[in-house]
Amino acid sequence: MIRISALAAAVKPSATLAAGAKARQLKAAGVKVFDFSLGEPDFPTPRHICEAAEKAARAGQTHYTPASGTAEVKAAICKWYKNFHGLDCAPENVIVSNGAKHSIHNALAATVGPGDEVLIPTPYWVSYSDLVRMTGATPVLLPTTLASGFKLTPEQLRDALTPQTRLLMLNSPCNPTGTVYTRAELEALVDVMRDTDASILSDEIYEQLIYCNAKPTCVATLRPWLKERTITISGASKSYAMTGWRMGWAIAPPAVVQAMDTIQSQQTGCPSSVSQAALVAALTGPQECVVEMRAEFAARREMTCDLLQLIPDVKLLVPDGAFYAFFDVSAYFGRNFGTTTVTDSVSFCNTLLEQAHVNLVPGVAFGAEGFVRMSFATSRDVIETGLGKFKSWLATAR
Ligand SMILES: *Cc1c(COP(=O)(O)O)cnc(C)c1O
């Protein structure tokens, strides 16, 4: 028998992917499922981006590239940061990976290990704590509440810092809560970090999906000293509907990029050559596609919030960014749906899926028991009908 390693045993499967799998089984059995579980845009990748990949493949760009990405893609990323955020970065600050998740993993592998603490405000994106654990470092969870807009406070951060703290992970706009920190709030947080040895890993993958007046903030631009202390993560998956192309990146000090480059060269060789050509087209080509997709997400968000706010005992914080509604359903815990008593977010979601064929993700996967996450990256038709079914199902609670 082949034994399974301690590393593999320490990692939980991604809860969002697991929720998708259960719904797929039902769908395969012919059941119409209202699926709000998967975190990816439902739009096709814009045509000009696909065409750039096609052209690259035909032109023979089908070989290994440098481990950290081509010169063209790094130049495109630097130019995009200058235009979008006013951030000056050079190619030696940039590494392209197989998706932002891969960038986060390699950034953590390059900077933390056993004995180190990584601060993660909760609710957090499902993968953060497992990615930290895979390096041997310790995730330290900092709970935030709906009442405070799911925002970490400077006092909370100050109290959590220890000599072992190596990194603070930030994610604004946030998956799952949709929370967008203001520039002033982020400044107050980073200022707490200033006289420590800790740095910041800022996952900004939803920076182009903000629906309120708040402007996207690139944490690295907040203070001059942050350029040396910040690893900025982003990617094409969410803004350009490119999840399957696996294009993410990190902007970091050259020594960190160098370490990630070495890891990546041993681990995956390089990111896909044709995907890199597609990413150049995404970042340097027409940006109307982003505006159009954002407008559609904004309309769905409004519809989602309007419908959820009509449901008794559901507590929602209106999301300012990303494409999720994260709401408190704990008022229904301890109640019966048919012969099943719902006791927590997992049994709530399982029972909902079985009885009403509506698929949500349990909040416990994001470190927030009592809540569920609904992705509104699906058609308005599915949102309207699915939330109607959800409301009727909740009304059956006894
Ligand atoms: C989707 C997502 C990612 C990863 O996206 P990739 O497809 O790996 O680029 C990273 N962080 C957050 C918060 C996400 O929601």
Side-chain angles (χ1 to χ4, degrees):
M1 203 172 71
I2 301 176
R3 255 185 291 165
I4 300 304
S5 69
L7 175 113
V11 176
K12 297 188 298 295
S14 159
T16 41
L17 296 182
K22 217 174 294 165
R24 256 194 306 280
Q25 272 174 11
L26 276 174
K27 285 180 208 165
V31 177
K32 164 103 182 117
V33 174
F34 295 87
D35 197 350
F36 301 110
S37 70
L38 289 180
E40 64 171 331
D42 54 323
F43 307 113
T45 302
R47 203 186 170 115
H48 68 279
I49 298 174
C50 298
E51 281 167 359
E54 248 177 81
K55 204 169 141 214
R58 291 222 180 84
Q61 289 179 40
T62 51
H63 298 274
Y64 290 136
T65 74
S68 56
T70 63
E72 290 75 22
V73 82
K74 289 183 191 178
I77 289 171
C78 290
K79 193 166 161 223
W80 187 89
Y81 271 85
K82 183 68 186 164
N83 289 340
F84 198 82
H85 288 301
L87 178 72
D88 286 305
C89 59
E92 62 264 29
N93 297 111
V94 181
I95 179 164
V96 178
S97 306
N98 304 302
K101 191 184 269 194
H102 188 216
S103 306
I104 296 169
H105 178 259
N106 286 358
L108 291 168
T111 58
V112 300
D116 295 335
E117 293 177 358
V118 177
L119 304 180
I120 308 175
T122 74
Y124 60 88
W125 183 48
V126 278
S127 297
Y128 288 163
S129 63
D130 287 289
L131 289 173
V132 169
R133 227 175 268 122
M134 280 170 76
T135 68
T138 306
V140 177
L141 305 182
L142 309 179
T144 69
T145 61
L146 187 140
S148 62
F150 295 117
K151 285 173 180 172
L152 181 70
T153 65
E155 297 69 37
Q156 217 182 341
L157 175 58
R158 199 171 293 123
D159 289 346
L161 286 163
T162 74
Q164 285 72 48
T165 309
R166 305 252 40 87
L167 275 179
L168 165 68
M169 294 180 81
L170 288 174
N171 177 215
S172 172
C174 174
N175 174 6
T177 60
T179 292
V180 179
Y181 286 82
T182 65
R183 196 176 177 84
E185 286 164 345
L186 287 169
E187 284 171 351
L189 286 176
V190 298
D191 286 347
V192 173
M193 310 282 290
R194 189 191 166 128
D195 297 321
T196 70
D197 288 331
S199 297
I200 297 169
L201 187 152
S202 182
D203 179 353
E204 301 174 1
I205 197 160
Y206 293 99
E207 62 204 329
Q208 298 203 63
L209 294 174
I210 296 181
Y211 313 107
C212 61
N213 290 327
K215 292 212 177 57
T217 309
C218 177
V219 168
T221 64
L222 288 173
R223 300 284 187 238
W225 52 271
L226 278 170
K227 252 193 103 173
E228 292 307 310
R229 301 264 300 274
T230 308
I231 303 171
T232 305
I233 302 284
S234 194
S237 284
K238 310 296 162 59
S239 308
Y240 298 95
M242 287 179 67
T243 45
W245 299 81
R246 310 309 302 126
M247 281 286 104
W249 58 82
I251 312 288
V256 175
V257 167
Q258 191 54 57
M260 291 174 69
D261 187 341
T262 305
I263 291 171
Q264 197 156 294
S265 70
Q266 296 292 12
Q267 173 196 53
T268 58
C270 67
S272 150
S273 60
V274 288
S275 290
Q276 291 183 69
L279 177 57
V280 171
L283 294 176
T284 61
Q287 300 297 300
E288 285 79 16
C289 54
V290 179
V291 176
E292 283 162 19
M293 289 189 277
R294 181 169 53 230
E296 177 57 25
F297 282 135
R300 294 168 179 184
R301 160 187 175 260
E302 200 152 315
M303 177 181 221
T304 299
C305 293
D306 287 351
L307 290 168
L308 283 173
Q309 279 161 344
L310 292 175
I311 301 181
D313 296 326
V314 160
K315 278 186 270 170
L316 167 77
L317 181 82
V318 171
D320 287 333
F323 38 65
Y324 311 97
F326 197 64
F327 47 95
D328 183 347
V329 294
S330 61
Y332 289 91
F333 295 178
R335 302 181 66 182
N336 299 318
F337 293 84
T339 55
T340 311
T341 308
V342 159
T343 53
D344 55 17
S345 61
V346 170
S347 65
F348 183 92
C349 290
N350 286 341
T351 312
L352 172 65
L353 179 60
E354 274 160 31
Q355 298 184 355
H357 307 143
V358 173
N359 197 24
L360 301 175
V361 184
V364 71
F366 309 97
E369 184 49 279
F371 287 79
V372 292
R373 190 193 75 173
M374 170 188 163
S375 161
F376 53 81
T378 184
S379 73
R380 295 190 217 184
D381 201 36
V382 168
I383 293 170
E384 189 164 24
T385 317
L387 284 183
K389 292 199 80 172
F390 179 53
K391 189 179 177 195
S392 315
W393 177 76
L394 285 175
T396 68
R398 292 291 169 264

PDB file of all heavy atoms in Angstrom, residues 99-101 125 128 171 175 203 205-206 237-238 246, ligand 1:
ATOM      1  N   GLY A  99      -2.309  30.763 -12.636  1.00  0.00           N
ATOM      2  CA  GLY A  99      -3.433  31.213 -11.829  1.00  0.00           C
ATOM      3  C   GLY A  99      -2.944  31.925 -10.575  1.00  0.00           C
ATOM      4  O   GLY A  99      -1.835  31.683 -10.088  1.00  0.00           O
ATOM      5  N   ALA A 100      -3.798  32.803 -10.035  1.00  0.00           N
ATOM      6  CA  ALA A 100      -3.440  33.558  -8.832  1.00  0.00           C
ATOM      7  C   ALA A 100      -3.262  32.626  -7.638  1.00  0.00           C
ATOM      8  O   ALA A 100      -2.455  32.871  -6.742  1.00  0.00           O
ATOM      9  CB  ALA A 100      -4.502  34.610  -8.536  1.00  0.00           C
ATOM     10  N   LYS A 101      -4.007  31.535  -7.625  1.00  0.00           N
ATOM     11  CA  LYS A 101      -3.884  30.570  -6.531  1.00  0.00           C
ATOM     12  C   LYS A 101      -2.456  30.017  -6.487  1.00  0.00           C
ATOM     13  O   LYS A 101      -1.852  29.881  -5.430  1.00  0.00           O
ATOM     14  CB  LYS A 101      -4.891  29.434  -6.747  1.00  0.00           C
ATOM     15  CG  LYS A 101      -5.051  28.506  -5.565  1.00  0.00           C
ATOM     16  CD  LYS A 101      -5.996  27.354  -5.892  1.00  0.00           C
ATOM     17  CE  LYS A 101      -7.432  27.690  -5.543  1.00  0.00           C
ATOM     18  NZ  LYS A 101      -8.314  26.493  -5.542  1.00  0.00           N
ATOM     19  N   TRP A 125     -11.048  33.680   1.911  1.00  0.00           N
ATOM     20  CA  TRP A 125     -11.169  32.803   0.749  1.00  0.00           C
ATOM     21  C   TRP A 125     -10.725  31.393   1.143  1.00  0.00           C
ATOM     22  O   TRP A 125      -9.704  31.216   1.801  1.00  0.00           O
ATOM     23  CB  TRP A 125     -10.315  33.334  -0.403  1.00  0.00           C
ATOM     24  CG  TRP A 125     -10.444  32.533  -1.655  1.00  0.00           C
ATOM     25  CD1 TRP A 125     -11.602  32.116  -2.244  1.00  0.00           C
ATOM     26  CD2 TRP A 125      -9.377  32.060  -2.479  1.00  0.00           C
ATOM     27  NE1 TRP A 125     -11.321  31.421  -3.383  1.00  0.00           N
ATOM     28  CE2 TRP A 125      -9.970  31.370  -3.555  1.00  0.00           C
ATOM     29  CE3 TRP A 125      -7.984  32.152  -2.424  1.00  0.00           C
ATOM     30  CZ2 TRP A 125      -9.223  30.770  -4.557  1.00  0.00           C
ATOM     31  CZ3 TRP A 125      -7.245  31.566  -3.424  1.00  0.00           C
ATOM     32  CH2 TRP A 125      -7.850  30.884  -4.480  1.00  0.00           C
ATOM     33  N   TYR A 128      -6.891  30.108   1.537  1.00  0.00           N
ATOM     34  CA  TYR A 128      -5.789  30.763   2.250  1.00  0.00           C
ATOM     35  C   TYR A 128      -5.181  29.902   3.362  1.00  0.00           C
ATOM     36  O   TYR A 128      -3.976  29.715   3.418  1.00  0.00           O
ATOM     37  CB  TYR A 128      -6.234  32.089   2.874  1.00  0.00           C
ATOM     38  CG  TYR A 128      -6.487  33.215   1.898  1.00  0.00           C
ATOM     39  CD1 TYR A 128      -7.219  34.334   2.288  1.00  0.00           C
ATOM     40  CD2 TYR A 128      -5.996  33.177   0.603  1.00  0.00           C
ATOM     41  CE1 TYR A 128      -7.460  35.381   1.413  1.00  0.00           C
ATOM     42  CE2 TYR A 128      -6.239  34.227  -0.283  1.00  0.00           C
ATOM     43  CZ  TYR A 128      -6.967  35.323   0.133  1.00  0.00           C
ATOM     44  OH  TYR A 128      -7.208  36.356  -0.723  1.00  0.00           O
ATOM     45  N   ASN A 171      -7.512  40.916   1.363  1.00  0.00           N
ATOM     46  CA  ASN A 171      -8.253  40.569   0.155  1.00  0.00           C
ATOM     47  C   ASN A 171      -9.420  41.548   0.002  1.00  0.00           C
ATOM     48  O   ASN A 171     -10.475  41.359   0.565  1.00  0.00           O
ATOM     49  CB  ASN A 171      -8.753  39.115   0.264  1.00  0.00           C
ATOM     50  CG  ASN A 171      -9.600  38.669  -0.912  1.00  0.00           C
ATOM     51  OD1 ASN A 171     -10.549  37.902  -0.758  1.00  0.00           O
ATOM     52  ND2 ASN A 171      -9.283  39.117  -2.097  1.00  0.00           N
ATOM     53  N   ASN A 175     -13.534  37.926  -1.344  1.00  0.00           N
ATOM     54  CA  ASN A 175     -14.303  36.697  -1.541  1.00  0.00           C
ATOM     55  C   ASN A 175     -14.231  35.973  -0.205  1.00  0.00           C
ATOM     56  O   ASN A 175     -13.128  35.643   0.216  1.00  0.00           O
ATOM     57  CB  ASN A 175     -13.650  35.859  -2.659  1.00  0.00           C
ATOM     58  CG  ASN A 175     -14.288  34.503  -2.835  1.00  0.00           C
ATOM     59  OD1 ASN A 175     -15.284  34.197  -2.207  1.00  0.00           O
ATOM     60  ND2 ASN A 175     -13.691  33.690  -3.701  1.00  0.00           N
ATOM     61  N   ASP A 203      -4.203  40.196  -1.936  1.00  0.00           N
ATOM     62  CA  ASP A 203      -4.853  39.511  -3.063  1.00  0.00           C
ATOM     63  C   ASP A 203      -5.896  40.473  -3.640  1.00  0.00           C
ATOM     64  O   ASP A 203      -6.933  40.704  -3.029  1.00  0.00           O
ATOM     65  CB  ASP A 203      -5.495  38.220  -2.542  1.00  0.00           C
ATOM     66  CG  ASP A 203      -6.231  37.437  -3.614  1.00  0.00           C
ATOM     67  OD1 ASP A 203      -6.379  37.936  -4.748  1.00  0.00           O
ATOM     68  OD2 ASP A 203      -6.667  36.308  -3.314  1.00  0.00           O
ATOM     69  N   ILE A 205      -7.463  40.309  -6.699  1.00  0.00           N
ATOM     70  CA  ILE A 205      -7.954  39.713  -7.944  1.00  0.00           C
ATOM     71  C   ILE A 205      -9.311  40.273  -8.380  1.00  0.00           C
ATOM     72  O   ILE A 205      -9.639  40.235  -9.562  1.00  0.00           O
ATOM     73  CB  ILE A 205      -7.979  38.166  -7.834  1.00  0.00           C
ATOM     74  CG1 ILE A 205      -8.082  37.540  -9.230  1.00  0.00           C
ATOM     75  CG2 ILE A 205      -9.086  37.674  -6.903  1.00  0.00           C
ATOM     76  CD1 ILE A 205      -7.648  36.106  -9.315  1.00  0.00           C
ATOM     77  N   TYR A 206     -10.080  40.863  -7.447  1.00  0.00           N
ATOM     78  CA  TYR A 206     -11.371  41.459  -7.834  1.00  0.00           C
ATOM     79  C   TYR A 206     -11.297  42.971  -8.018  1.00  0.00           C
ATOM     80  O   TYR A 206     -12.314  43.656  -7.973  1.00  0.00           O
ATOM     81  CB  TYR A 206     -12.449  41.112  -6.787  1.00  0.00           C
ATOM     82  CG  TYR A 206     -12.790  39.644  -6.756  1.00  0.00           C
ATOM     83  CD1 TYR A 206     -12.239  38.799  -5.798  1.00  0.00           C
ATOM     84  CD2 TYR A 206     -13.640  39.085  -7.706  1.00  0.00           C
ATOM     85  CE1 TYR A 206     -12.525  37.448  -5.774  1.00  0.00           C
ATOM     86  CE2 TYR A 206     -13.938  37.734  -7.694  1.00  0.00           C
ATOM     87  CZ  TYR A 206     -13.381  36.918  -6.731  1.00  0.00           C
ATOM     88  OH  TYR A 206     -13.675  35.574  -6.722  1.00  0.00           O
ATOM     89  N   SER A 237      -8.439  35.703 -14.190  1.00  0.00           N
ATOM     90  CA  SER A 237      -9.611  34.824 -14.093  1.00  0.00           C
ATOM     91  C   SER A 237     -10.925  35.584 -13.938  1.00  0.00           C
ATOM     92  O   SER A 237     -11.896  35.312 -14.636  1.00  0.00           O
ATOM     93  CB  SER A 237      -9.463  33.879 -12.892  1.00  0.00           C
ATOM     94  OG  SER A 237      -8.549  32.855 -13.183  1.00  0.00           O
ATOM     95  N   LYS A 238     -10.966  36.537 -13.001  1.00  0.00           N
ATOM     96  CA  LYS A 238     -12.239  37.151 -12.647  1.00  0.00           C
ATOM     97  C   LYS A 238     -12.559  38.340 -13.552  1.00  0.00           C
ATOM     98  O   LYS A 238     -13.680  38.474 -14.027  1.00  0.00           O
ATOM     99  CB  LYS A 238     -12.233  37.566 -11.168  1.00  0.00           C
ATOM    100  CG  LYS A 238     -11.767  36.448 -10.214  1.00  0.00           C
ATOM    101  CD  LYS A 238     -12.665  35.228 -10.188  1.00  0.00           C
ATOM    102  CE  LYS A 238     -12.064  33.949  -9.625  1.00  0.00           C
ATOM    103  NZ  LYS A 238     -11.558  33.924  -8.283  1.00  0.00           N
ATOM    104  N   ARG A 246      -5.725  29.867 -16.662  1.00  0.00           N
ATOM    105  CA  ARG A 246      -4.787  29.805 -15.547  1.00  0.00           C
ATOM    106  C   ARG A 246      -3.704  30.880 -15.639  1.00  0.00           C
ATOM    107  O   ARG A 246      -2.523  30.568 -15.767  1.00  0.00           O
ATOM    108  CB  ARG A 246      -4.159  28.398 -15.424  1.00  0.00           C
ATOM    109  CG  ARG A 246      -5.126  27.236 -15.415  1.00  0.00           C
ATOM    110  CD  ARG A 246      -6.279  27.362 -14.414  1.00  0.00           C
ATOM    111  NE  ARG A 246      -5.853  27.518 -13.044  1.00  0.00           N
ATOM    112  CZ  ARG A 246      -6.268  28.532 -12.272  1.00  0.00           C
ATOM    113  NH1 ARG A 246      -7.115  29.444 -12.716  1.00  0.00           N
ATOM    114  NH2 ARG A 246      -5.859  28.625 -11.034  1.00  0.00           N
TER     115      ARG A 246
HETATM  116  C1  LIG B   1     -10.703  33.089  -7.702  1.00  0.00           C
HETATM  117  C2  LIG B   1      -9.777  33.615  -6.661  1.00  0.00           C
HETATM  118  C3  LIG B   1      -8.380  33.446  -6.746  1.00  0.00           C
HETATM  119  C4  LIG B   1      -7.667  32.558  -7.739  1.00  0.00           C
HETATM  120  O1  LIG B   1      -7.942  32.680  -9.031  1.00  0.00           O
HETATM  121  P1  LIG B   1      -7.087  31.924 -10.131  1.00  0.00           P
HETATM  122  O2  LIG B   1      -8.104  31.368 -11.044  1.00  0.00           O
HETATM  123  O3  LIG B   1      -6.224  30.908  -9.494  1.00  0.00           O
HETATM  124  O4  LIG B   1      -6.287  33.006 -10.780  1.00  0.00           O
HETATM  125  C5  LIG B   1      -7.582  34.028  -5.792  1.00  0.00           C
HETATM  126  N1  LIG B   1      -8.100  34.735  -4.781  1.00  0.00           N
HETATM  127  C6  LIG B   1      -9.423  34.907  -4.654  1.00  0.00           C
HETATM  128  C7  LIG B   1      -9.927  35.700  -3.508  1.00  0.00           C
HETATM  129  C8  LIG B   1     -10.302  34.344  -5.576  1.00  0.00           C
HETATM  130  O5  LIG B   1     -11.622  34.473  -5.411  1.00  0.00           O
END
